[in-house]
């Protein structure tokens, strides 16, 4: 038996046509998989039918998961609550929206019609792989979504990285397909010209273009081959048309995606032969480094650089530094200097003895070291610091994270008295028998600037469910307008004695 499958995107069928293939087998019990809603028996269904959408969505999700596992090993379970963390529920068509999302409970895709043309977000392998990418990253780095503390991670680069990671998974998923690689190299032999693989979610962007016009931020596909240069997100506009780099997370994510694309491209072009086989090897090399770095990079305000540096360090461990130049040049091309791998060089001696890496989490750092750190970071004595250990570039390290509560008062009506909890990580190692600081000390003012600037982008895009907006929506009968999102990404919840900004979902369409 066989199914019809769109390997890339409904709008790129001229480059990579719909094809008939055997569906991937069901996932084994005991490994992460999906529970796809509304199953139908396998058959050759026509594009645009619900039965087609079931098999298309299933195949795309499994393809993304398989791609991840070829780089990072078997995934045992997702970071989702509920009785079965091995089966992530997937809704191939959950109703009328021009969107797709991951909300730590499910992946959801939708249908939307404009001018007689329908957009099914679940019909695009790009979109399904992107959302699966959010879920994969969340499975290994739940702190980047920060629901651990019942909040939202409010740093711009960390949220933009989550979006970029979804796009990198979509890019890698496309490259995992031999026919796609052959078609790609026919039009872009050195990956240096625009093509259907580096362009992501074409059909969904076209739906936004038809519905909301060319100036909407999502009215063009995001492109991994781009020339966007990193800038401090606090200095970028809160929103703008597709061609403009803004602080909005999808827009800003393009800088990191460009760095990753160019890492693949540099590794590929540094080889002797350029074949679809060596392209997959280059993509796998870069993909492994990306995943390893994403697992380990400290969640600083400058997260793009932190991940890039961790890629260099991991390359040292995994490949004896063979791709260092390829990585450094790729990031340099987007304005991110990785410098030497000085992420883990001692900067200052700290009070107390060397961290006890093998000790229980509570006693990795001595009391004297913790006290010294808190004093240097301007933290109230008795505040909570989360301490963990990790290995980076072959070196054991301790990571201590303080969550600074940043006031959102003044950013929008409804945010008075609301706070966001922002991570401030520091790395601690040893110099001889002494504890030593291995990273820059976070500055409270920088944390506040970054958080407030990020939340301004959410306000500009209407993504926070504010109590006032909810009341208004109820009065109007909950009909969402073109400008007000019916799917907010953030909301305000009471946690203890604080009103805290929390993330509800990563949303990837009209916003
Ligand atoms: Zn996304």
């Amino acid at each position: 038996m066989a199914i019809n499958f769109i390997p890339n995107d409904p709008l790129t069928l001229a480059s990579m046509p719909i094809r008939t293939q055997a569906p991937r087998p069901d996932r084994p019990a005991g490994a992460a998989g999906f529970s796809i809603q509304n199953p139908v028996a396998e058959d050759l269904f026509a594009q645009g039918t619900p039965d087609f959408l079931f098999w298309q969505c299933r195949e795309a999700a499994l393809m993304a998961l398989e791609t991840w596992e070829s780089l990072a090993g078997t995934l045992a379970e997702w970071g989702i609550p509920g009785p079965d963390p091995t089966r992530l529920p997937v809704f191939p068509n959950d109703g009328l929206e021009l969107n797709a999302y991951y909300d730590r409970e499910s992946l959801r895709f939708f249908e939307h019609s404009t001018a007689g043309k329908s957009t099914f977000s679940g019909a695009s392998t790009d979109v399904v792989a992107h959302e699966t990418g959010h879920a994969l990253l969340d499975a290994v780095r739940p702190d980047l979504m920060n629901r651990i503390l019942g909040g939202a991670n409010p740093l711009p680069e960390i949220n933009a990285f989550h979006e970029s990671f979804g796009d990198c998974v979509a890019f890698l998923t496309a490259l995992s397909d031999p026919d796609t690689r052959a078609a790609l190299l026919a039009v872009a032999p050195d990956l240096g010209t625009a093509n259907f693989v580096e362009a992501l979610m074409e059909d969904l962007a076209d739906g936004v273009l038809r519905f909301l016009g060319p100036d909407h931020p999502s009215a063009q596909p995001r492109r991994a081959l781009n020339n966007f240069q990193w800038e401090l997100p606090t200095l970028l506009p809160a929103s703008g048309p597709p061609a403009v780099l803004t602080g909005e997370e999808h827009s800003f994510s393009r800088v990191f995606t460009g760095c990753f694309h160019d890492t693949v491209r540099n590794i590929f072009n540094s080889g002797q032969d350029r074949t679809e086989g060596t392209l997959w090897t280059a993509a796998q090399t870069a993909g492994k480094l990306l995943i390893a770095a994403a697992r380990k990079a400290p969640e600083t305000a400058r997260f793009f650089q932190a991940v890039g540096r961790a890629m260099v360090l991991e390359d040292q461990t995994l490949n004896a530094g063979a791709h260092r130049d390829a990585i450094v040049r790729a990031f340099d091309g987007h304005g991110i200097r990785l410098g030497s791998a000085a992420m883990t060089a001692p900067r200052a001696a700290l009070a107390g003895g060397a961290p006890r890496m093998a000790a229980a989490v509570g006693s990795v750092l001595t009391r004297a070291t913790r006290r010294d750190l808190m004093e240097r970071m301007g933290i109230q004595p008795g505040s909570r610091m989360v301490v963990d250990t990790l290995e980076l570039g072959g070196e054991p390290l301790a990571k201590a994270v303080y969550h600074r509560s940043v006031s959102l008062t003044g950013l929008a009506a409804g945010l008075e008295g609301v706070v966001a909890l922002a991570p401030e990580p520091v790395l601690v190692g040893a110099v001889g028998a002494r504890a030593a600081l291995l990273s820059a000390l976070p500055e409270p003012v920088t944390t506040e600037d970054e958080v407030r600037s990020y939340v301004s982008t959410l306000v500009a895009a209407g993504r926070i469910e504010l109590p006032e907006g909810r009341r208004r929506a109820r009065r109007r009968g909950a009909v969402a307008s073109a400008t007000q999102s019916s799917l907010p990404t953030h909301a305000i919840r009471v946690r203890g004695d604080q009103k805290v900004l929390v993330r509800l979902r990563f949303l990837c369409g009209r916003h």
Side-chain angles (χ1 to χ4, degrees), residues 19 23 68 106 122 126 156 159 182 193 206 211 241 243 256 291 293 303 329 370 383 401 408 415 446 466:
R19 71 187 179 212
W68 162 282
S106 59
D126 278 351
N159 290 287
T193 40
D206 186 58
F211 184 43
F256 189 91
I291 293 171
F303 196 60
R329 272 192 295 121
R370 289 172 83 101
S383 301
V401 185
L408 305 182
L415 288 178
T446 304
L466 295 165

Side-chain angles (χ1 to χ4, degrees), residues 30-65:
F34 304 95
S35 160
I36 322 255
Q37 306 301 303
N38 304 322
V40 286
E42 155 187 358
D43 210 337
L44 294 174
F45 298 111
Q47 196 186 336
T49 62
D51 295 345
F52 166 79
L53 210 49
F54 169 84
W55 285 100
Q56 168 69 29
C57 204
R58 175 188 181 279
E59 194 66 11
L62 288 172
M63 191 172 165
L65 178 55

Side-chain angles (χ1 to χ4, degrees), residues 130 134 163 250 508:
H130 171 98
H134 280 301
E163 290 304 341
H250 298 85
C508 299

Side-chain angles (χ1 to χ4, degrees), residues 57-121:
C57 204
R58 175 188 181 279
E59 194 66 11
L62 288 172
M63 191 172 165
L65 178 55
E66 248 174 46
T67 301
W68 162 282
E69 290 193 332
S70 78
L71 307 171
T74 305
L75 185 72
E77 43 184 64
W78 303 98
I80 54 175
D84 186 2
T86 70
R87 289 293 174 268
L88 177 63
V90 177
F91 296 79
N93 191 347
D94 200 35
L96 302 178
E97 287 283 347
L98 188 50
N99 249 313
Y101 69 75
Y102 168 70
D103 63 356
R104 194 168 268 175
E105 287 175 3
S106 59
L107 303 180
R108 288 178 196 255
F109 305 94
F110 301 91
E111 170 183 358
H112 187 270
S113 291
T114 316
K117 196 175 173 231
S118 288
T119 306
F120 296 94
S121 58

Side-chain angles (χ1 to χ4, degrees), residues 100 130-131 134 162-164 166-167 201 222 250 506-508:
H130 171 98
E131 299 304 333
H134 280 301
H162 229 290
E163 290 304 341
S164 174
D167 282 353
M201 307 188 185
R222 289 193 294 277
H250 298 85
F506 280 100
L507 187 66
C508 299

Side-chain angles (χ1 to χ4, degrees), residues 211-429:
F211 184 43
L212 297 168
D215 287 337
H216 188 279
S218 306
Q220 289 294 326
R222 289 193 294 277
R223 310 205 74 111
L225 175 63
N226 67 59
N227 285 315
F228 289 114
Q229 297 293 305
W230 179 85
E231 285 185 57
L232 275 172
T234 49
L235 299 180
L236 290 169
S239 71
V244 175
L245 188 70
T246 74
E248 191 282 325
E249 58 204 24
H250 298 85
S251 177
F252 195 48
S253 77
R254 295 178 292 179
V255 174
F256 189 91
T257 310
C259 296
F260 180 71
H261 174 276
D262 293 349
T263 301
V264 174
R265 178 182 164 193
N266 290 346
I267 294 175
F268 175 58
N269 287 328
S270 67
Q272 295 289 320
D273 303 310
R274 288 186 212 157
T275 65
E276 62 89 6
T278 62
L279 174 56
W280 181 225
T281 306
Q284 283 184 302
T285 302
K288 282 177 191 169
L289 295 176
L290 173 68
I291 293 171
R295 281 179 191 267
K296 294 178 179 183
E299 57 273 44
T300 65
R302 296 286 70 79
F303 196 60
F304 287 0
Q305 187 187 49
V307 175
R309 285 180 168 169
M311 285 173 73
V312 170
L313 288 170
E314 289 299 302
D315 182 56
Q316 193 62 46
T317 315
L318 297 174
N319 312 310
H323 308 295
R324 184 198 159 83
D325 176 61
I327 304 165
V328 170
R329 272 192 295 121
F331 280 75
D332 208 52
H334 294 274
I336 298 175
R337 313 272 173 263
L338 300 184
S340 69
M343 188 149 87
T344 58
R347 289 166 179 258
L350 293 171
R356 295 171 293 232
M357 301 298 177
V361 166
S363 52
V364 172
L365 300 182
T366 66
R367 196 173 303 186
T369 305
R370 289 172 83 101
R371 208 166 29 225
D372 188 2
L373 274 178
M374 290 176 116
E375 209 163 287
R376 287 170 193 250
M377 292 168 73
I379 304 171
Q380 296 284 331
S383 301
R384 184 159 173 246
M385 266 189 134
V386 184
V387 180
D388 218 338
T389 58
L390 71 151
E391 167 271 314
L392 200 55
E395 248 190 280
L397 306 168
K399 181 175 79 170
V401 185
Y402 171 64
H403 286 85
R404 190 171 296 277
S405 142
V406 175
S407 163
L408 305 182
T409 297
L411 291 176
L415 288 178
E416 280 75 26
V418 177
V419 299
L421 301 172
E424 289 186 336
V426 288
L427 299 179
V428 180

Side-chain angles (χ1 to χ4, degrees), residues 132 149 246 326 483:
T132 306
L149 290 167
T246 74
T483 51

